[in-house]
Amino acid sequence: MDTSKYKALYLQETNEHLSGIEKGLLAIEKGSVQSTDLDSLFRHYHSIKGMSASMGYDSIMKLSHAQEDLLSLLRSNKLALTIEIAAALLYCLDALKNLVKRVEEDLPLDVDISTFVNRLKSAIEGRPPEIRAEPAPITELKLSNVMKVEGKVFDDLLAIVGDLFMTLSSFKSLSHNSRSIEFKDSVYLLGKSLNGIHHNILSARMLPIEDLTENLPRVVRDISKQSGKNVELKIEGADLSLDRAILESLGSPMVHIIRNAVDHGIEPLSDRIHAGKSPEGNITVRAFAKKDKVIVEVADDGKGIDCARVREKAIKGGLPEGRVRAMSDREAMMLVCLPGLSTSDSVTDTSGRGVGMDVVKDTIEGIGGTLEIDSVPGKGTKITLDLPRTTSIIKTLLIWVEGEPFLIPLSKIERVAEVGREDISGGVLGHNGAEVPVVPLAGLLGIEEGTVRPLYTIIIVENGKGAQGNDGLIGLRVDDFGDEMEAYIKPLVPPMSRLWGVTGIAVMGDGRPVFLLDLPQIISRAASQAF
Amino acid sequence: MYKRVVIADDAAFFRTALRDILSKGGFEVIGEAVNGAEALEKVQALRPDIVILDVVMPVKNGLEAAKEISLLKLPLKIVMCTSLGYEPIVEEAMKSGACAYIIKPLSEAKVLDTLNGLGGAHGL
């Protein structure tokens, strides 16, 4: 096997085993030893031996093998543990450590280990060691390269960097107006360093999706047991990493989606057999990267969502019948995310599709993601979560509406256009040969519009609901746009969190607060006005 | 063909290496366990076609896990994985339900030959 790619993992695990051995041997020297201690010591040596053999590190393999043999004798009580033996093991541990260090430094491993192996043999036979050397005394204290840090420290660091970014943007505007080259250079360098810090903090916060999904098999097992169904879970792409805050928020939505899939997607056994499906239901959780996003799909091969029933329920629930009937199936399916809408008729329901899907959607959108539902009757349902990889500090564009500043996430912006009033008089704007509906943002936000302007800025953003092409775009009419800024977005706390159309707040360099627009919410209102 | 595999080994090193080899050979690793007890849980929850058990593991070793898994009477093959010199122990495992073994250090050809040699139709 090509061993080079496993070297980092080898070093990490071997070093863990070495410190385990050291702890164990020191306990032996102190005279407190139990058979379970010997068992775990044995396993440490055994693991180092196995891994070293696979990597082709012969001397490490042989030396750890010799020690493993000795431990084997101790475990089976064929040999009594003496101080001499413990000393010999410590002596050899230092040799092992040195060898592993050589691996780390890419030095050759053709080191003569016979002295060490002989010392072990002497100890086993109860002879005094030929070389009566104590392990070289340790005169320096070394710390591990890996540190354990509480997650909150990184939250705080990120918040501080966010504030620094805002201060930086004030400096940037000062430097635009300054003639001092030194000042301009310093601001540039400050920005570069700050980006470096930001980048490092973000990567330190990344955790593999596996940390979340490793418990899913158990969740699926428990839920499927409750509902008496046999469900197979498949997980793909769990090695992708996400910011820990995003991953954390994903926990309960994932459980909820899977619970829905088992309870309402996967049919009872008899129905599945009747439909010619495999007896066990299948749920696949698949994660993959798409540009700077991570997509997580949860798909089941169950009976799918009955759109007609969702429509009926929505109308019964008080939605205007005309609007519901006019919706495409795709839009109608999203109605299950309305509060209180469930298509399940069972009363003992713990998870009706709909009960709680509104919370799931809110949570996903709260971390800057989107949720979509695809379902084919008889074939199954797929929930697609489109998630940002990192959180909190996002690239935004500053825009102005009637003198009020707002931020829009840059990632959602397709294009910014400056147009004359007459270009958009029909309520649409030509873009790539298609017509994009244009809606005034002021009206959506309930801001009274002042004078009519000759020129407007149109922010063309993705309309999440559309399938492909320009169907998925919508233009927001604003007065003007300003700088791109890296903004640290603070979540809104009640009562501000109940405000419509905004999802977070940032503080600008001059201390002025500015809201981040909740684009999904705004777009859904804009779409209902535009069409 | 048996294609869906659960790997149990306390070393991430071997789990990663095995996963790489198996995916090259067209197998699918549907779960990993770090000890025998976890292997038992994963086998029950995931119902793999094959479980590969390292012999020396903490909490519950591979031999105990093999015995308990074979008592479940599931349609799956138990393959032991261990270091050179442990053949006698593996022989014991073969008596209690295991049907093949792989000797470390791992070689791609050996691992794939062993697993492909399990043959059999799905749903034994």
Side-chain angles (χ1 to χ4, degrees):
Chain A
M1 81 187 183
D2 169 27
T3 54
S4 56
K5 60 187 270 211
Y6 304 113
K7 190 175 156 185
L9 199 51
Y10 169 86
L11 285 171
Q12 187 200 328
E13 294 204 300
T14 302
N15 281 321
E16 280 169 23
H17 288 300
L18 287 174
S19 48
I21 291 171
E22 185 154 62
K23 248 190 223 156
L25 293 181
L26 292 176
I28 288 180
E29 272 212 324
K30 274 191 185 160
S32 61
V33 67
Q34 292 175 336
S35 67
T36 50
D37 297 333
L38 292 179
D39 288 346
S40 62
L41 263 178
F42 169 82
R43 275 199 308 274
H44 288 310
Y45 285 119
H46 178 83
S47 297
I48 294 177
K49 180 194 74 175
M51 290 191 283
S52 305
S54 296
M55 293 296 285
Y57 302 149
D58 235 33
S59 46
I60 304 182
M61 186 268 282
K62 284 184 178 143
L63 187 53
S64 47
H65 193 173
Q67 296 174 87
E68 179 196 2
D69 283 347
L70 198 161
L71 257 300
S72 218
L73 293 172
L74 292 175
R75 272 170 99 203
S76 54
N77 288 323
K78 287 182 185 142
L79 184 70
L81 184 57
T82 61
I83 291 291
E84 186 50 54
I85 286 174
L89 285 170
L90 264 178
Y91 180 63
C92 293
L93 171 65
D94 288 351
L96 269 184
K97 276 191 192 163
N98 281 329
L99 287 169
V100 172
K101 208 168 158 218
R102 292 181 76 87
V103 171
E104 218 163 338
E105 290 163 356
D106 286 320
L107 295 171
L109 287 173
D110 48 355
V111 177
D112 181 19
I113 54 160
S114 56
T115 335
F116 303 102
V117 176
N118 287 337
R119 169 97 195 242
L120 288 171
K121 277 188 189 151
S122 313
I124 293 173
E125 289 158 11
R127 282 188 282 117
E130 282 151 26
I131 308 161
R132 225 193 144 74
E134 268 298 294
I138 290 179
T139 50
E140 53 177 342
L141 291 174
K142 272 211 182 149
L143 295 180
S144 152
N145 282 332
V146 181
M147 278 164 64
K148 275 189 183 163
V149 182
E150 223 181 305
K152 193 183 169 299
V153 173
F154 289 107
D155 293 345
D156 293 347
L157 272 175
L158 199 60
I160 294 168
V161 170
D163 291 343
L164 285 175
F165 267 121
M166 285 306 189
T167 314
L168 179 70
S169 64
S170 312
F171 274 120
K172 270 186 182 160
S173 25
L174 283 176
S175 83
H176 285 319
N177 307 325
S178 163
R179 287 202 191 138
S180 158
I181 298 291
E182 286 92 342
F183 182 49
K184 283 180 194 283
D185 279 352
S186 307
V187 171
Y188 170 74
L189 287 176
L190 186 62
K192 228 174 119 180
S193 312
L194 200 49
N195 274 322
I197 297 175
H198 182 212
H199 181 80
N200 276 311
I201 294 175
L202 287 187
S203 46
R205 289 169 58 95
M206 298 299 247
L207 287 177
I209 296 179
E210 198 177 3
D211 283 12
L212 190 78
T213 55
E214 65 183 1
N215 296 321
L216 275 186
R218 181 61 194 268
V219 170
V220 168
R221 175 191 161 270
D222 291 354
I223 299 173
S224 42
K225 266 212 163 140
Q226 278 170 19
S227 60
K229 291 171 186 166
N230 197 354
V231 179
E232 295 266 351
L233 173 72
K234 225 159 92 176
I235 299 173
E236 294 168 17
D239 51 343
L240 275 173
S241 294
L242 282 178
D243 186 278
R244 59 179 284 275
I246 294 177
L247 206 56
E248 217 166 33
S249 320
L250 213 53
S252 86
M254 283 294 276
V255 171
H256 198 91
I257 292 171
I258 284 182
R259 184 176 276 278
N260 273 339
V262 176
D263 280 356
H264 305 299
I266 305 292
E267 312 88 331
L269 184 63
S270 53
D271 292 9
R272 287 189 68 87
I273 289 171
H274 190 69
K277 292 182 176 180
S278 63
E280 70 279 354
N282 292 287
I283 296 178
T284 307
V285 176
R286 183 167 157 257
F288 57 96
K290 189 175 156 196
K291 288 194 227 163
D292 59 337
K293 300 276 189 143
V294 167
I295 315 291
V296 177
E297 292 174 350
V298 183
D300 67 58
D301 66 345
K303 60 173 180 268
I305 297 175
D306 184 346
C307 272
R309 258 182 64 209
V310 175
R311 283 199 168 89
E312 262 170 54
K313 290 256 172 180
I315 295 165
K316 237 191 236 168
L319 249 64
E321 186 169 349
R323 232 181 94 194
V324 173
R325 297 268 177 244
M327 284 178 176
S328 67
D329 280 359
R330 208 183 158 83
E331 285 169 313
M333 243 177 269
M334 289 305 287
L335 291 174
V336 300
C337 295
L338 286 179
L341 195 113
S342 167
T343 63
S344 175
D345 288 328
S346 63
V347 190
T348 54
D349 209 6
T350 50
S351 68
R353 229 190 248 287
V355 177
M357 269 310 271
D358 55 326
V359 181
V360 171
K361 187 164 177 277
D362 282 355
T363 310
I364 298 301
E365 286 175 358
I367 53 177
T370 58
L371 178 150
E372 283 195 41
I373 303 174
D374 288 293
S375 187
V376 180
K379 295 263 190 249
T381 302
K382 183 169 83 181
I383 310 275
T384 305
L385 309 177
D386 190 324
L387 304 162
R389 292 190 94 149
T390 56
T391 178
S392 306
I393 295 182
I394 58 172
K395 286 200 164 83
T396 60
L397 181 72
L398 185 67
I399 56 149
W400 299 89
V401 179
E402 297 296 328
E404 291 291 331
F406 293 97
L407 297 173
I408 294 185
L410 217 52
S411 62
K412 301 269 167 103
I413 299 177
E414 173 79 12
R415 195 184 132 205
V416 175
E418 290 207 278
V419 296
R421 187 157 54 94
E422 63 282 359
D423 293 333
I424 48 169
S425 53
V428 290
L429 172 71
H431 173 68
N432 287 348
E435 290 188 330
V436 176
V438 171
V439 179
L441 188 54
L444 293 171
L445 291 170
I447 299 173
E448 201 170 316
E449 286 198 82
T451 47
V452 175
R453 293 160 188 273
L455 276 176
Y456 285 105
T457 297
I458 309 296
I459 314 284
I460 300 179
V461 293
E462 289 168 29
N463 169 3
K465 292 211 173 54
Q468 279 113 24
N470 286 343
D471 300 342
L473 297 177
I474 196 160
L476 299 173
R477 198 187 80 199
V478 304
D479 298 342
D480 201 1
F481 69 101
D483 290 336
E484 269 181 41
M485 14 203 299
E486 315 240 11
Y488 175 66
I489 305 297
K490 294 177 177 141
L492 295 176
V493 290
M496 278 212 292
S497 55
R498 285 197 282 276
L499 280 174
W500 184 88
V502 293
T503 176
I505 196 165
V507 180
M508 298 221 277
D510 57 6
R512 199 156 32 138
V514 51
F515 283 115
L516 177 74
L517 293 180
D518 183 350
L519 275 190
Q521 210 173 40
I522 286 173
I523 287 168
S524 72
R525 183 176 288 185
S528 67
Q529 292 189 5
F531 300 111
Chain B
M1 284 290 285
Y2 301 104
K3 285 295 180 195
R4 299 161 64 261
V5 187
V6 164
I7 299 172
D9 197 312
D10 54 332
F13 176 86
F14 283 117
R15 293 198 304 275
T16 312
L18 264 177
R19 186 180 267 275
D20 290 350
I21 293 174
L22 293 184
S23 58
K24 261 194 216 164
F27 290 88
E28 187 193 351
V29 178
I30 55 168
E32 293 184 4
V34 299
N35 59 50
E38 218 181 282
L40 199 62
E41 271 177 26
K42 293 255 158 117
V43 161
Q44 283 171 290
L46 303 175
R47 301 294 167 101
D49 302 321
I50 300 171
V51 59
I52 300 179
L53 297 168
D54 179 31
V55 170
V56 179
M57 289 190 286
V59 187
K60 181 174 283 181
N61 68 39
L63 292 179
E64 293 166 332
K67 261 183 212 155
E68 290 179 35
I69 289 173
S70 61
L71 285 177
L72 295 172
K73 303 269 181 247
L74 295 172
L76 92 168
K77 301 278 186 187
I78 303 173
V79 176
M80 304 306 293
C81 181
T82 191
S83 303
L84 208 60
Y86 278 75
E87 289 86 343
I89 294 180
V90 172
E91 294 300 329
E92 189 191 315
M94 305 286 274
K95 278 179 213 147
S96 53
C99 63
Y101 61 88
I102 300 167
I103 298 290
K104 290 175 186 172
L106 301 174
S107 99
E108 193 177 314
K110 266 193 312 188
V111 172
L112 294 180
D113 278 355
T114 307
L115 296 198
N116 285 324
L118 297 174
H122 186 84
L124 189 78

